[in-house]
Amino acid sequence: YLNLCQYSFPFLLVYFAMPLVKIFARVGMNKAIPLKTLQSQMCKIWSTKPETTKLVLSRVEDWTSESYYEDCYIDIRAYGKTERTREFVLDGMTQIQQAFAEHDLIANV
């Protein structure tokens, strides 16, 4: 991250404080992705509020296949905090995969 938070731009402070969850799914995938429900689950996982946790769904034509099959590719950007240790983040990633699995979705986080 660029250290833009040192400047007095309030809109930047809001952006950098907001966890942003980008969900990529193939255009042809027929499974539903319940954003509101997943947002609620992620707020519980990361101890955040819906007002500060944005989920963005992007449909893509295709992506390269590696050794892992997924329905969704998840990219999470969040402001670093001391309580967000490596173990905390790894546990959160596992919980996110479980949350997607509850909706019959395989997530690569």
Side-chain angles (χ1 to χ4, degrees):
Y1 289 91
L2 297 173
N3 192 8
L4 296 176
C5 291
Q6 66 184 338
Y7 302 106
S8 58
F9 298 112
F11 63 92
L12 286 176
L13 294 176
V14 170
Y15 175 79
F16 282 102
M18 176 186 295
L20 173 62
V21 181
K22 293 185 272 184
I23 303 169
F24 297 93
R26 288 191 173 107
V27 172
M29 189 184 76
N30 295 326
K31 297 179 183 179
I33 302 174
L35 292 180
K36 285 297 242 182
T37 304
L38 289 166
Q39 180 191 40
S40 176
Q41 291 173 293
M42 288 190 191
C43 287
K44 289 177 187 170
I45 293 167
W46 300 114
S47 300
T48 58
K49 297 178 182 176
E51 301 83 38
T52 59
T53 306
K54 182 174 289 287
L55 276 64
V56 177
L57 173 61
S58 296
R59 296 286 183 169
V60 297
E61 290 294 323
D62 205 3
W63 54 56
T64 57
S65 295
E66 294 182 17
S67 61
Y68 187 86
Y69 172 81
E70 68 260 353
D71 294 314
C72 303
Y73 179 84
I74 314 301
D75 179 18
I76 302 173
R77 306 289 174 176
Y79 186 72
K81 294 183 175 184
T82 55
E83 63 268 16
R84 290 183 184 160
T85 63
R86 176 177 168 74
E87 293 77 21
F88 178 83
V89 171
L90 291 174
D91 181 58
M93 291 169 62
T94 300
Q95 290 182 55
I96 288 173
Q97 285 180 319
Q98 292 169 350
F100 275 78
E102 290 174 13
H103 302 284
D104 194 32
L105 295 165
I106 300 170
N108 184 358
V109 183

